[in-house]
């Protein structure tokens, strides 16, 4: 079973690397949105799926990553605050600041659990929205602010064309490979955490925190640490989203976004890295596909023309998917895939056929 699976992984990697040479801008941007969502969903899955801490404030840390990058990398020519740092340093600092914000909240996260932690993190959304709309010098207010393009190894990830194998590469094509690299690294790190000693401690806290404390697991310290790590994942996802959008707006980073991330990890499978990626792909791609093909779909109409908009239809669909997963597939898409790949065991020795 190992060799065919290896071949599948190699074929999938080659396909992903080749896609920018054949897909148009819409599909590449849709894929980049899915990659950014997957990074954020992996971080939330470490917090909620593996450790059992309900967070409703994930969008707050995405906003810190997105706007932090703009502040650190901006040159101030648009009248907004900008430090003019090299963009790769700005992206790194934005992720660190998101982690620091999570660290400031971590004492609360280390002591609250369940609905109480969810309500506490929900307050971060309201605080964040107030700051985003009113701190005009930093965020640009309701109009948002432009996002400086990333520059790395002499390559600027903007729409200036770079010809590769007779194919013009714009911002989407260049960012595609950066997104793949970041998603692979984040997924690999999270997989190592979950499979190692920290992952076993996190699962013990989720299943029975008192028993975990009895056997020597520092419950409050682990909860606080996972909250910081999840915040940094969200900050990185926010940076990538900002680079793809090329403009940040406060309305995007609201309670709806946090609920979408919770839907991602439930649909994909709690506590699973692959499940977080699958759930992120479903939730992030669905509204874009419905928007693109709204003319050919029944009951779905273009925004502003009356009827059910693609955004509303997508929320109905993945809301129904959450209910279906909870009722019929508690482990999410990850458990379904594992069940399909599990080899059927034959009769044991001495057992009649």
């Amino acid at each position: 079973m190992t060799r065919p699976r290896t071949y599948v992984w190699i074929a999938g990697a080659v396909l992903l690397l080749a896609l920018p040479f054949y897909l148009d801008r819409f599909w590449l941007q849709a894929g980049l949105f899915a990659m950014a969502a997957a990074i954020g969903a992996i971080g939330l899955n470490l917090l909620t799926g593996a450790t059992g801490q309900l967070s409703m404030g994930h969008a707050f840390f995405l906003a810190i990553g997105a706007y932090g990058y703009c502040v650190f990398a901006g040159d101030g020519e648009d009248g907004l605050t900008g430090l003019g740092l090299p963009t790769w340093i700005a992206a790194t600092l934005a992720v660190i600041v998101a982690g620091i914000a999570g660290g400031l909240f971590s004492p609360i996260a280390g002591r609250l659990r369940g609905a109480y932690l969810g309500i506490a993190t929900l307050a971060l959304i309201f605080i964040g929205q107030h700051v985003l709309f009113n701190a005009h010098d930093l965020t640009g207010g309701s109009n948002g602010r432009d996002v400086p393009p990333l520059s790395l190894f002499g390559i600027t990830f903007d729409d200036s064309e770079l010809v590769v194998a007779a194919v013009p590469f714009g911002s989407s094509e260049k960012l595609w490979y950066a997104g793949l690299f970041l998603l692979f690294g984040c997924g690999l790190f999270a997989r190592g955490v979950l499979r190692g000693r920290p992952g076993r401690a996190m699962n013990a806290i989720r299943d029975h925190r008192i028993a975990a404390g009895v056997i020597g697991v520092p419950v409050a310290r682990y909860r606080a640490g996972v909250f910081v790590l999840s915040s940094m994942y969200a900050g990185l996802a926010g940076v990538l989203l900002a680079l793809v959008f090329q403009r940040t707006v406060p309305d995007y980073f609201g309670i709806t976004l946090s609920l979408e991330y919770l839907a991602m990890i439930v649909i994909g499978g709690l506590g699973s890295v692959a499940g977080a990626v699958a759930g992120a792909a479903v939730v992030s791609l669905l509204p874009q596909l419905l928007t693109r093909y709204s003319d050919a779909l029944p009951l779905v109409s273009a925004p502003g023309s009356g009827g059910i908009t693609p955004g509303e239809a997508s929320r109905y669909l993945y809301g129904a998917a959450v209910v279906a997963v909870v009722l019929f597939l508690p482990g999410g898409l990850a458990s379904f895939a594992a069940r399909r790949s599990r080899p059927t065991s034959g009769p044991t020795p001495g057992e009649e056929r």
Side-chain angles (χ1 to χ4, degrees):
M1 294 295 294
T2 303
R3 186 173 297 175
R5 184 176 299 178
T6 302
Y7 292 154
V8 170
W9 278 105
I10 293 175
V14 172
L15 177 63
L16 289 173
L17 292 174
L19 285 179
F21 292 92
Y22 301 98
L23 296 183
D24 60 23
R25 188 182 183 90
F26 169 81
W27 293 107
L28 292 176
Q29 285 191 337
L32 284 167
F33 289 143
M35 292 178 197
I39 293 172
I42 291 172
L44 184 60
N45 221 351
L46 290 173
L47 181 67
T48 302
T51 317
Q53 294 179 275
L54 177 63
S55 174
M56 301 284 289
H58 212 54
F60 173 78
F61 299 104
L62 271 91
I64 290 179
Y67 280 96
Y69 171 78
C70 293
V71 171
F72 288 127
D75 54 13
E77 293 182 358
D78 53 1
L80 302 178
T81 301
L83 301 182
L85 298 176
T87 52
W88 67 271
I89 295 178
T92 304
L93 289 177
V95 175
I96 293 174
V97 170
I100 292 173
L104 294 175
F105 191 81
S106 62
I108 299 174
R111 287 166 175 78
L112 295 180
R113 61 190 180 95
Y116 298 102
L117 179 60
I119 294 171
T121 54
L122 185 61
L124 293 175
I125 296 294
F126 298 115
I127 295 172
Q129 287 287 289
H130 178 77
V131 172
L132 292 180
F133 278 105
N134 293 281
H136 187 274
D137 289 342
L138 290 175
T139 67
S142 58
N143 293 325
R145 62 182 296 170
D146 292 329
V147 179
L150 178 68
S151 295
L152 191 63
F153 303 125
I155 299 175
T156 302
F157 292 75
D158 58 7
D159 286 323
S160 59
E161 289 190 356
L162 173 68
V163 179
V164 179
V167 176
F169 270 37
S171 62
S172 298
E173 288 83 1
K174 299 171 189 174
L175 284 172
W176 180 270
Y177 294 106
L180 282 179
F181 175 79
L182 292 174
L183 177 57
F184 178 77
C186 290
L188 200 62
F189 181 80
R191 190 180 179 90
V193 169
L194 291 175
R195 290 192 169 188
R197 184 176 179 180
R200 293 191 293 271
M202 292 154 57
N203 291 335
I205 294 171
R206 176 196 61 196
D207 296 336
H208 204 299
R209 65 181 183 87
I210 297 177
V214 170
I215 63 176
V217 176
V219 177
R221 189 190 309 169
Y222 263 97
R223 282 181 167 176
V226 175
F227 199 92
V228 171
L229 180 60
S230 176
S231 302
M232 295 181 72
Y233 269 82
L236 180 59
V239 172
L240 184 56
L241 276 174
L243 291 171
V244 177
F245 274 123
Q246 299 181 357
R247 187 170 185 84
T248 56
V249 288
D251 286 329
Y252 182 75
F253 301 99
I255 182 63
T256 301
L257 183 61
S258 289
L259 294 176
E260 288 178 354
Y261 271 95
L262 288 174
M264 292 175 194
I265 63 174
V266 172
I267 293 172
L270 294 175
S272 168
V273 174
V277 175
V282 171
V283 174
S284 62
L285 292 178
L286 189 57
Q288 299 180 69
L289 294 176
L290 291 177
T291 301
R292 186 175 179 89
Y293 299 109
S294 59
D295 295 337
L297 296 173
L299 304 178
V300 179
S301 57
S305 60
I308 301 176
T309 64
E312 293 173 339
S314 63
R315 294 188 184 98
Y316 293 147
L317 289 175
Y318 62 67
V322 168
V323 175
V325 165
V326 171
L327 291 178
F328 305 110
L329 196 64
L333 298 176
S335 67
F336 179 75
R339 191 181 309 168
R340 296 278 296 178
S341 62
R342 188 180 299 126
T344 304
S345 58
T348 58
E351 183 181 14
E352 290 184 1
R353 293 183 177 272

